[in-house]
C-alpha cells in the first residue's frame, strides 16, 4: 500500500497543523473539524497524523484494545479479568486511526453478528465494528458533511456517551468506544448538522495559499514525493522525528501544565463576550490552551497560548448573527483584539 | 481545428497510459458523431494498452452496493461462507470508467468516486465486510449540460486533469479518421522507463505556478496536473532524449490543463483573484501583480514566453466564456468556479433501504429484507429446531431483518426571495431580507431546502444568490447586496419566474417571496416612467400566473397600496402587508404561508 505524505512536509497551514496536534495530544479536547477549499491538504494532514502517534499498551487479545490501567468497567472481557487476581498480559499496538468511509453500512459502523461464523458454524458471535476499532484512537470522516443522516445520528450518540450499545438478534453487547472525532469537508457542499458540529472540540478553516512562494513549494514537494516516495520520506524522516519527539515530551508535560486564575478569567471573559452557548466552549478553550503550552514545553499557560487556539476552539460555537456578515473566525479574532489588546 | 483535435487525442493517450495519475477527462459535448468518434479513438487506444474494454459506465443513480461492493448473496448461499462482491469501482482498477450525463450525477456518488481518485483505493465497510481495495481509475465524465446552471460536480472537475469541449467541432472540419490511429501506437514500457528520469527544473515549475496565477486558477491540483502532463509528454515524445521536458512540452501541458480552467485573461491578471475572501478586483489595481510576486526577470521571461505560446491554443470561444464568467462574478461574488451549483438528485429517487419496521415510517423493501435475513438462516434453523420441533417456514425472518425503503424525503423546496433594492423605502428592508434569508437557511439543513435571492434595482433584476443550501455561499453573496435606484418590477417578476420554471424542471418545488412596495417605475425595456412600468409589471404578472408556483407578496410600503395588491392578485400570490416586519417576523411569515 502506498505510504502517506508526511505531516511535517505540508507547506504552511499552521493553524490546521496546530489544531490537529492539540487534538491528538489531549483527547479530552474533543477532536477537530477541518473545513476548507478543495485541494488544500485537509485529508493529507489527517492521514499524515497516523505516522506521528506513539504506540499504546493494551490488554492482550482484547478486541477493543482496552487500557490495562483502567480495566474495571471497560469491556466485558476486561471487566471480568480485572476482578481476578491474575496478572494481566499486555501488548503494544499502534494508536488506531480508523477511516469511516462514505457508503459504510450501519452494521459495520456499530458492529453486528459475525456473518462468517453464522454461516459456517451457525453460531452467534459479535463482530466489532469501526467504532470498536477506533476506541482510544481516532475516527476520521472525510466528507463529513455528506455522511448519511442515520449514521450521523449513531455517531452523535456514541461520541457523547463513549459507549456503544448493540442490541441485535438477541445479542446484547456494550463496549467502550471513546475516540477522537476528526472530520473534514468542503463547506460549500452543505452544512454540518449543529449537533454533530458541537461534538468537535476544535474547528479550523483552511484556504489555498495565495502567495507565489508557498504555491511553488507545494508543487515541488508534491512532485518529489510522487516521483520517488521512498527518498522523499527518508528526507523528511528527521522532521517527522522532531514532531514525534515534541509530542512525546508534551504528553509527559501535559498533566503538570498549570493554568492560573487570571487565565481562567480570560477564558470566561472571552466566552461571555462572544456569547458562546454552555460551558463546553470554556472547557475546550482551557484544555486546548494547556495542550498548546505543553507542545511548547512550557509549565504555565500564557495568554499567548490562549490567543493562538481561541479561534479554532470557539468559532463553531458562536450563535449565528444574521445581520453580521463577518465570518465567525473574524468575530473571535475581533473579540481577542478588543479584550486582550 | 485539426490541431485541437490532435491535442484531444493526445490527452486520450495520456489518460489511458496512467488513468489514476490524471484523474480523467470532463468531456463537454452533446451526444453526437464528434463525441462518438473521440470516445471511439479513446477506446481503441485503451484496447491497445490492454485496458478493460468496453469501458464500463456508471449510471448517475448507482447504488452503493453496485458502486462499492457488498455481500454476494447468491455465492454466499452456495458456498456457505461470506463472499464479497466487488463494486464497479474496484472492478475497474487500472482502467477507465465512463460517467454518462455527469451533470446529473448525485453528490454522494461523485464524492465516492472522488475518494477513489484521491487515494487510488476504496475502503469497503458494508454488509459485515471490511476490505480495502485497490482502485486506480480514471473517469471520462460526459457533460451534456445545456443550461448555465448545470455543471459537473466541482469535486470531479477539480480531480480530472483535462476539460475538453467538443461542441465547437463541426464534423466536417475534423481530419481524416486515419489520424486517430496513430495515437494508439506507442510503447508503454518505454514511456514508463523514460518517465523515471524526467523531471522539471525549478524555474519551469516557478513559471507554471506563475501562469496559473495569471490565468486566475486558485487550485494547486491544476498545477500538479500540468507538471505531470509535461513529464508524460516528454516521455511519450520519441524524438526527445533529454531528462528535462522541452519548452514545447511545457507549452502543450499548459494548453491542455491550464487554459481550459482559465477564469481570466492573463493580461488582466491580478493576485487578488486567488483569495476567496477578497471581493472581485477593481479595474484600477491591475498593477498589483507586479509588486506581489517576487520573481526574477528571468523567470518572468520564461513564464511570459510559455504563456505567449499557449495563447495560440486558446480556443476562439474562450473570450466569450471569460466574458460570461466575468459577468457571473459580478452577479455572484464567489470567486472562480468555487461557487458553481451542486447537482444532486432533487427528485424523489429511491435511496436504498435502512433498518426499521414498516409501520408509519415507510414501506417494506422486500428484497432487502430477504437479503438481510438470508445469511442467518443456518443459525436460526438450528435454534428453532432446538426450541420446538414443529416444522418451520422456509425463510426465518426476524424483527431485525426488516428493511424499509428510503426515498429522498420529499422534493426539495426552493425559496426564492425577490427583494426590492430600489432607492425609496427599500434601503432599510434590505437588512431584514438578508436576515430572513439567513434565518431560513439555518433551518434548511433539517428541511433539506434551498434558498435563492433575486434583487432588483435600477434597470436590472439580478440573481444575487443562486439556489443553495450553503450558508457560506449565502453570506458571501448577501454581503455584496447593493441598494438604490429605480424599481424594475416587470423584470423582477420575469426573472423570478424563469428561475422558478428552471427549478420545477429539476423536480424541485419552488416558492417565491416578493419583498417590495410594488411601485414600479422602470419599464421592461429599462426606460423610466411609472405608467408604462405598471403596465409591463401587470403583463409580467399575468404571464407568471401561468406557472403554478406558490408565492407570497409582502408589501413593505408604510401604507398598503393598490398597485402592489393588484399585481399580487394577478400572479395569484398571497398578499401580506408587513410595513415594519423584522427578519424574524419575515421568516416566520414565510414558513407559515409557504411551508406548512
Amino acid at each position: 500500500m502506498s505510504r502517506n505524505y508526511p505531516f511535517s512536509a505540508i507547506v504552511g497551514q499552521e493553524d490546521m497543523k496546530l489544531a490537529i496536534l492539540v487534538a491528538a495530544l489531549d483527547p479530552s479536547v474533543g477532536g477537530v473539524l477541518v473545513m476548507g477549499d478543495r485541494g488544500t491538504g485537509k485529508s493529507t494532514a489527517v492521514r499524515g497524523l497516523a505516522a506521528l502517534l506513539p504506540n499504546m499498551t493494551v490488554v492482550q487479545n482484547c478486541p477493543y484494545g482496552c487500557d490495562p490501567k483502567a480495566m474495571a468497567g471497560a469491556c466485558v472481557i476486561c471487566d471480568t479479568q480485572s476482578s481476578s487476581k491474575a496478572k494481566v498480559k499486555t501488548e503494544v499496538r499502534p494508536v488506531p486511526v480508523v477511516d469511516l468511509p462514505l457508503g459504510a453500512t450501519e452494521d459495520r459502523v456499530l458492529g453486528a453478528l459475525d456473518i462468517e461464523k453464522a454461516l459456517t458454524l451457525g453460531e452467534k458471535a459479535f463482530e466489532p465494528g469501526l467504532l470498536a476499532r477506533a476506541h482510544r484512537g481516532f475516527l476520521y470522516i472525510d466528507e463529513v458533511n455528506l455522511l448519511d443522516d442515520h449514521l450521523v445520528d449513531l455517531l452523535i450518540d456514541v461520541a457523547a456517551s463513549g459507549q456503544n450499545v448493540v442490541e441485535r438478534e438477541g445479542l446484547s453487547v456494550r463496549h467502550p468506544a471513546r475516540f477522537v472525532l476528526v472530520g473534514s469537508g468542503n463547506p460549500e457542499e452543505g452544512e454540518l448538522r449543529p449537533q454533530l458540529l458541537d461534538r468537535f472540540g476544535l474547528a479550523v478553516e483552511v484556504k489555498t495559499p495565495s502567495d507565489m512562494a508557498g504555491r511553488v513549494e507545494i508543487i515541488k514537494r508534491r512532485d518529489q514525493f510522487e516521483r520517488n516516495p521512498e527518498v522523499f520520506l527518508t528526507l523528511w524522516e528527521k522532521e517527522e522525528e522532531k514532531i514525534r519527539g515534541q509530542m512525546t515530551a508534551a504528553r509527559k508535560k501535559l498533566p503538570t501544565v498549570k493554568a492560573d486564575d487570571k487565565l481562567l478569567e480570560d477564558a470566561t471573559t472571552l466566552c461571555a463576550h462572544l456569547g458562546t452557548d454552555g460551558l463546553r466552549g470554556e472547557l475546550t478553550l482551557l484544555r486546548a490552551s494547556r495542550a498548546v503550552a505543553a507542545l511548547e514545553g512550557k509549565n504555565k499557560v500564557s495568554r499567548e497560548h490562549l490567543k493562538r487556539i481561541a479561534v479554532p476552539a470557539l468559532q463553531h460555537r458562536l450563535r449565528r448573527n444574521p445581520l453580521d456578515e463577518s465570518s465567525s473566525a473574524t468575530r473571535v479574532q475581533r473579540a481577542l483584539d478588543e479584550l486582550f489588546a | 481545428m485539426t490541431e485541437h483535435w490532435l491535442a484531444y487525442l493526445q490527452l486520450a493517450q495520456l489518460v489511458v497510459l496512467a488513468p489514476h495519475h490524471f484523474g480523467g477527462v470532463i468531456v463537454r459535448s452533446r451526444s453526437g458523431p464528434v463525441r462518438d468518434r473521440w470516445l471511439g479513438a479513446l477506446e481503441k487506444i485503451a484496447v491497445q494498452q490492454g485496458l478493460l474494454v468496453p469501458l464500463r459506465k456508471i449510471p448517475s443513480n448507482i447504488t452503493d452496493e453496485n458502486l462499492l461492493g457488498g455481500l454476494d448473496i447468491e455465492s454466499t448461499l452456495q458456498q456457505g461462507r461470506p463472499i464479497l462482491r466487488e463494486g464497479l469501482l474496484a472492478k475497474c482498477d487500472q482502467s477507465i470508467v465512463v460517467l454518462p450525463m455527469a451533470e446529473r450525477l448525485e453528490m454522494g456518488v461523485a464524492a465516492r468516486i472522488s475518494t477513489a481518485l484521491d487515494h487510488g483505493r476504496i475502503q469497503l465497510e458494508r454488509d459485515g465486510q471490511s476490505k480495502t481495495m485497490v482502485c486506480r481509475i480514471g473517469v471520462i465524465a460526459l457533460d451534456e449540460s445545456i443550461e448555465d446552471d448545470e455543471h459537473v460536480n466541482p469535486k470531479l472537475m477539480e480531480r480530472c486533469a483535462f476539460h475538453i469541449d467538443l461542441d465547437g467541432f463541426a464534423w466536417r472540419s475534423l481530419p481524416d479518421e486515419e489520424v486517430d490511429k496513430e495515437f494508439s501506437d506507442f510503447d508503454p514500457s518505454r514511456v514508463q522507463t523514460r518517465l523515471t528520469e524526467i523531471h522539471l527544473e525549478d524555474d519551469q515549475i516557478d513559471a507554471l505556478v506563475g501562469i496559473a496565477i495569471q490565468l486566475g486558477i486558485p487550485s494547486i491540483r491544476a498545477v500538479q496536473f500540468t507538471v505531470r502532463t509535461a513529464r508524460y509528454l516528454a516521455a511519450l515524445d520519441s524524438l526527445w532524449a533529454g531528462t528535462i521536458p522541452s519548452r514545447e512540452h511545457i507549452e502543450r501541458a499548459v494548453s491542455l490543463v491550464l487554459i481550459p480552467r482559465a477564469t481570466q485573461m492573463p493580461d488582466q491578471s491580478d493576485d487578488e483573484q486567488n483569495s476567496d475572501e477578497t471581493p472581485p478586483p477593481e479595474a484600477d489595481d491591475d498593477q498589483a501583480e507586479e509588486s506581489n510576486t517576487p520573481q526574477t526577470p528571468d523567470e518572468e521571461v520564461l513564464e511570459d514566453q510559455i504563456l505567449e505560446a499557449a495563447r495560440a491554443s486558446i480556443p476562439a470561444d474562450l473570450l466569450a466564456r471569460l466574458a460570461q464568467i466575468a459577468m457571473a462574478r459580478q452577479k455572484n461574488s464567489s470567486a472562480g468556479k468555487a461557487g458553481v451549483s451542486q447537482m444532486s438528485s432533487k427528485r424523489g429517487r429511491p435511496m436504498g433501504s435502512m433498518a426499521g419496521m414498516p409501520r408509519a415510517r415507510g414501506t417494506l423493501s422486500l428484497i432487502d429484507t430477504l437479503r438481510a435475513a438470508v445469511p442467518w438462516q443456518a443459525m436460526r434453523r438450528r435454534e428453532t429446531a432446538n426450541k420446538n420441533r414443529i416444522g418451520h417456514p422456509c425463510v426465518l425472518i426476524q424483527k431485525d431483518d426488516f428493511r424499509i425503503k428510503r426515498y429522498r424525503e420529499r422534493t426539495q423546496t426552493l425559496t426564492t426571495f425577490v427583494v426590492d433594492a430600489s432607492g425609496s423605502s427599500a434601503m432599510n428592508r434590505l437588512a431584514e431580507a438578508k436576515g430572513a434569508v439567513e434565518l431560513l437557511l439555518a433551518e434548511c439543513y433539517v428541511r433539506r431546502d434551498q434558498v435563492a435571492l433575486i434583487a432588483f434595482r435600477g434597470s436590472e433584476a439580478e440573481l444575487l444568490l443562486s439556489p443553495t443550501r450553503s450558508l457560506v455561499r449565502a453570506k458571501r453573496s448577501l454581503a455584496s447586496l447593493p441598494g438604490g435606484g429605480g424599481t424594475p418590477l416587470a423584470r423582477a417578476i420575469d426573472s423570478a419566474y424563469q428561475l422558478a420554471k428552471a427549478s420545477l424542471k429539476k423536480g424541485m418545488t419552488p416558492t417565491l417571496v416578493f419583498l417590495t412596495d410594488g411601485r414600479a417605475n422602470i419599464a421592461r425595456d429599462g426606460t423610466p416612467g411609472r405608467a408604462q412600468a405598471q403596465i409591463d409589471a401587470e403583463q409580467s404578472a399575468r404571464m407568471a400566473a401561468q406557472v403554478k408556483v406558490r408565492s407570497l407578496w409582502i408589501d413593505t410600503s408604510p401604507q398598503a397600496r393598490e398597485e402592489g395588491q393588484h399585481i399580487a392578485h394577478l400572479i395569484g400570490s398571497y398578499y401580506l402587508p408587513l410595513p415594519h416586519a423584522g427578519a424574524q417576523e419575515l421568516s416566520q411569515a414565510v414558513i407559515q404561508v409557504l411551508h406548512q
Side-chain angles (χ1 to χ4, degrees):
Chain A
M1 194 190 287
S2 59
R3 303 239 346 239
N4 285 326
Y5 186 83
F7 184 85
S8 50
I10 294 167
V11 181
Q13 314 289 16
E14 297 306 328
D15 287 352
M16 170 175 77
K17 286 196 270 189
L18 179 69
I20 289 179
L21 290 182
V22 165
L25 183 62
D26 185 358
S28 68
V29 165
V32 56
L33 172 71
V34 187
M35 297 295 270
D37 299 342
R38 286 172 279 278
T40 39
K42 298 179 296 252
S43 56
T44 310
V46 179
R47 286 171 206 281
L49 173 73
L52 300 174
L53 298 169
N55 290 331
M56 62 181 190
T57 319
V58 302
V59 176
Q60 201 173 34
N61 297 329
C62 173
Y64 309 106
C66 288
D67 189 348
K69 284 178 198 141
M71 283 169 62
C75 72
V76 191
I77 307 162
C78 296
D79 196 36
T80 40
Q81 253 190 61
S82 72
S83 44
S84 74
K85 287 276 181 306
K87 194 173 179 320
V88 179
K89 282 188 186 152
T90 62
E91 59 181 330
V92 173
R93 287 186 209 163
V95 170
V97 179
V98 176
D99 254 294
L100 173 56
L102 289 181
T105 52
E106 230 172 272
D107 59 309
R108 279 305 303 146
V109 177
L110 294 176
L113 277 185
D114 187 329
I115 201 166
E116 175 123 37
K117 286 201 179 127
L119 278 170
T120 51
L121 308 169
E123 210 173 75
K124 272 186 192 176
F126 178 68
E127 196 191 6
L130 296 175
L131 295 182
R133 227 195 281 162
H135 178 49
R136 298 179 64 202
F138 297 80
L139 185 71
Y140 175 46
I141 315 167
D142 195 7
E143 313 282 6
V144 60
N145 44 353
L146 299 183
L147 199 66
D148 263 348
D149 276 356
H150 65 283
L151 288 184
V152 172
D153 294 341
L154 298 176
L155 268 183
I156 288 175
D157 190 37
V158 179
S161 63
Q163 268 218 332
N164 181 27
V165 182
V166 183
E167 298 282 353
R168 203 196 141 87
E169 301 256 358
L171 203 72
S172 174
V173 177
R174 179 183 292 265
H175 70 79
R178 272 187 301 279
F179 46 83
V180 176
L181 259 188
V182 182
S184 63
N186 184 340
E188 305 220 329
E189 285 161 2
E191 295 277 306
L192 211 58
R193 269 255 284 288
Q195 294 90 330
L196 184 59
L197 188 64
D198 194 48
R199 294 283 176 271
F200 289 99
L202 306 174
V204 280
E205 272 176 57
V206 285
K207 291 204 176 66
T208 317
S210 51
D211 67 306
M212 175 85 185
R215 293 171 68 101
V216 168
E217 196 53 42
I218 295 175
I219 299 289
K220 280 184 188 160
R221 288 189 194 171
R222 273 281 166 189
D223 185 43
Q224 279 172 10
F225 177 68
E226 205 171 279
R227 278 189 290 132
N228 204 334
E230 296 307 317
V231 173
F232 190 77
L233 288 171
T234 330
L235 206 69
W236 283 91
E237 187 45 37
K238 222 186 212 167
E239 289 295 314
E240 293 279 288
E241 198 47 58
K242 221 161 133 190
I243 299 187
R244 245 175 258 144
Q246 190 190 3
M247 289 284 282
T248 318
R251 188 158 283 128
K252 271 197 199 122
K253 189 118 221 162
L254 188 63
T256 61
V257 175
K258 299 232 161 28
D260 58 15
D261 288 354
K262 219 174 110 255
L263 192 98
L264 293 181
E265 208 173 287
D266 280 356
T268 319
T269 321
L270 181 64
C271 290
H273 183 86
L274 288 166
T276 54
D277 294 335
L279 271 175
R280 214 194 278 256
E282 271 116 312
L283 275 175
T284 310
L285 180 59
L286 213 60
R287 284 180 185 145
S289 311
R290 285 182 52 200
V292 175
L295 278 170
E296 286 186 357
K298 298 281 173 0
N299 291 317
K300 198 171 153 252
V301 190
S302 75
R303 191 177 263 183
E304 284 312 304
H305 297 138
L306 181 136
K307 277 166 87 172
R308 277 184 62 194
I309 203 76
V311 173
L314 298 178
Q315 65 169 341
H316 56 303
R317 301 176 198 280
L318 304 193
R319 285 245 179 92
R320 265 170 197 146
N321 181 353
L323 301 182
D324 190 350
E325 273 105 36
S326 47
S327 71
S328 339
T330 330
R331 278 161 68 196
V332 177
Q333 197 58 51
R334 208 161 51 202
L336 284 173
D337 294 343
E338 276 171 29
L339 295 173
F340 312 128
Chain B
M1 274 289 115
T2 310
E3 207 177 303
H4 278 138
W5 182 253
L6 296 182
Y8 288 170
L9 288 175
Q10 178 138 55
L11 59 87
Q13 214 175 10
L14 292 175
V15 171
V16 170
L17 201 54
H20 63 292
H21 271 168
F22 294 104
V25 190
I26 309 275
V27 185
R28 186 171 173 135
S29 163
R30 313 267 173 87
S31 129
V34 179
R35 191 177 84 177
D36 289 347
R37 180 167 157 190
W38 187 81
L39 286 172
L42 173 83
E43 198 147 325
K44 264 191 210 112
I45 305 174
V47 173
Q48 204 81 17
Q49 297 303 319
L51 263 60
L52 188 70
V53 280
L55 300 178
R56 303 295 297 264
K57 283 186 178 172
I58 296 184
S60 59
N61 58 347
I62 189 169
T63 57
D64 275 351
E65 172 153 11
N66 290 323
L67 188 70
L68 304 171
L71 196 68
D72 187 332
I73 291 289
E74 203 175 34
S75 332
T76 300
L77 285 181
Q78 270 173 11
Q79 306 202 13
R81 64 192 172 85
I83 304 287
L84 186 79
R85 194 166 69 109
E86 279 188 340
L88 204 51
L89 287 179
K91 265 188 214 150
C92 294
D93 178 33
Q94 304 272 35
S95 184
I96 293 173
V97 292
V98 178
L99 307 173
M101 294 208 290
E103 76 280 0
R104 305 275 302 166
L105 199 66
E106 282 193 35
M107 187 150 49
V109 177
R112 286 156 177 76
I113 296 174
S114 303
T115 314
L117 288 175
D118 275 356
H119 306 300
R121 52 176 194 267
I122 45 175
Q123 201 193 333
L124 182 78
E125 298 288 351
R126 294 177 58 76
D127 304 341
Q129 309 290 299
S130 171
K131 197 181 173 191
T132 306
M133 289 176 287
V134 186
C135 170
R136 284 157 301 177
I137 53 162
V139 299
I140 305 294
L142 303 179
D143 175 8
E144 291 181 33
S145 50
I146 300 166
E147 281 160 54
D148 285 346
D149 52 351
E150 288 181 314
H151 292 275
V152 174
N153 188 298
K155 260 191 202 330
L156 281 180
M157 302 266 284
E158 163 89 11
R159 285 169 175 81
C160 287
F162 309 115
H163 301 178
I164 63 177
D165 191 338
L166 297 180
D167 274 343
F169 288 102
W171 176 248
R172 268 167 274 110
S173 68
L174 290 184
D176 197 69
E177 285 206 44
E178 283 302 304
V179 196
D180 299 6
K181 287 186 185 142
E182 286 169 28
F183 283 87
S184 48
D185 182 30
F186 58 92
D187 174 10
S189 58
R190 194 195 83 92
V191 176
Q192 295 301 344
T193 14
R194 280 283 288 139
L195 204 59
T196 51
E197 26 180 85
I198 296 174
H199 62 96
L200 268 72
E201 290 207 306
D202 282 0
D203 60 338
Q204 289 177 319
I205 291 182
D206 289 349
L208 287 180
V209 173
I211 290 170
I213 291 177
Q214 284 205 41
L215 291 171
I217 304 168
S219 163
I220 297 272
R221 271 206 194 93
V223 186
Q224 255 172 281
F225 281 137
T226 321
V227 172
R228 247 177 241 175
T229 307
R231 286 180 57 218
Y232 270 92
L233 286 176
L236 265 170
D237 189 344
S238 51
L239 302 173
W240 184 253
T243 55
I244 313 283
S246 71
R247 167 81 63 75
E248 198 202 334
H249 297 138
I250 302 267
E251 283 164 11
R252 284 231 299 281
V254 169
S255 62
L256 285 177
V257 182
L258 292 182
I259 296 290
R261 291 168 199 254
T263 61
Q264 63 182 26
M265 286 300 274
D267 296 333
Q268 7 158 314
S269 58
D270 191 313
D271 263 3
E272 304 275 301
Q273 291 291 335
N274 301 305
S275 131
D276 275 354
E277 286 292 283
T278 45
E282 306 292 293
D284 54 10
D285 28 11
D286 267 359
Q287 314 305 325
E289 162 82 352
E290 248 54 49
S291 51
N292 280 356
T293 44
Q295 282 181 316
T296 61
D298 272 0
E299 280 168 6
E300 235 167 281
V301 169
L302 180 63
E303 187 178 314
D304 288 346
Q305 283 169 342
I306 294 173
L307 202 54
E308 197 50 51
R311 208 182 288 250
S313 69
I314 295 180
D317 68 330
L318 181 70
L319 278 175
R321 245 184 50 217
L322 288 180
Q324 267 177 10
I325 292 170
M327 265 165 58
R329 196 173 286 172
Q330 270 176 6
K331 286 182 189 164
N332 188 337
S333 68
S334 68
K337 292 186 172 168
V340 293
S341 65
Q342 305 292 331
M343 292 301 303
S344 69
S345 156
K346 278 135 199 148
R347 291 181 199 286
R349 276 184 184 159
M351 281 184 36
S353 60
M354 66 183 282
M357 290 298 280
R359 288 193 199 114
R361 288 214 287 151
T363 40
L364 176 74
S365 168
L366 187 61
I367 301 291
D368 288 306
T369 305
L370 285 175
R371 283 178 56 97
V374 151
W376 318 112
Q377 292 305 308
M379 188 182 77
R380 287 177 190 164
R381 286 231 173 81
R382 187 173 303 184
E383 279 185 1
T384 32
N386 289 344
K387 265 189 218 150
N388 44 16
R389 314 227 161 251
I390 324 158
H392 52 70
C394 297
V395 187
L396 291 164
I397 293 181
Q398 294 182 358
K399 198 178 137 206
D400 297 314
D401 302 326
F402 283 105
R403 295 289 183 273
I404 50 177
K405 281 183 188 151
R406 252 175 355 124
Y407 294 96
R408 211 157 275 271
E409 284 129 351
R410 63 197 165 95
T411 53
Q412 283 190 326
T413 304
L414 168 66
T415 308
T416 307
F417 287 83
V418 188
V419 180
D420 187 346
S422 66
S424 56
S425 66
M427 277 303 280
N428 46 18
R429 314 301 305 189
L430 268 186
E432 284 125 9
K434 284 184 191 184
V437 173
E438 293 213 6
L439 283 173
L440 282 168
L441 261 174
E443 284 198 358
C444 271
Y445 184 85
V446 191
R447 309 180 55 86
R448 300 265 177 220
D449 287 350
Q450 298 204 0
V451 170
L453 179 81
I454 293 174
F456 58 106
R457 59 185 278 268
S459 56
E460 287 299 326
E462 351 171 82
L463 180 62
L464 274 180
L465 176 64
S466 47
T468 184
R469 248 176 68 196
S470 161
L471 261 173
V472 182
R473 282 189 56 210
K475 276 193 175 147
R476 270 193 214 154
S477 302
L478 290 174
S480 64
L481 176 55
T487 312
L489 196 55
R491 284 199 175 179
I493 296 173
D494 291 350
S495 352
Y497 276 87
Q498 253 164 32
L499 184 68
K501 268 197 271 185
S503 58
L504 268 175
K505 251 193 259 170
K506 283 187 210 147
M508 289 196 270
T509 312
T511 56
L512 294 168
V513 180
F514 292 91
L515 277 157
T516 172
D517 55 9
R519 303 193 65 200
N521 60 12
I522 306 283
R524 190 180 287 114
D525 58 6
T527 51
R530 206 168 277 282
Q532 185 59 38
Q534 183 67 21
I535 293 167
D536 281 358
E538 284 176 19
Q539 196 185 10
S540 294
R542 286 197 187 90
M543 301 266 286
Q546 318 247 321
V547 188
K548 297 283 170 244
V549 169
R550 252 212 242 197
S551 60
L552 169 65
W553 186 285
I554 297 177
D555 194 339
T556 57
S557 49
Q559 275 166 341
R561 292 170 161 279
E562 251 179 46
E563 300 103 297
Q565 197 166 359
H566 181 52
I567 293 174
H569 179 73
L570 283 177
I571 300 179
S573 272
Y574 188 92
Y575 178 77
L576 189 69
L578 275 180
H580 301 294
Q584 199 75 43
E585 289 94 310
L586 279 180
S587 64
Q588 282 307 316
V590 171
I591 290 168
Q592 277 179 9
V593 175
L594 295 178
H595 292 320
Q596 344 101 340

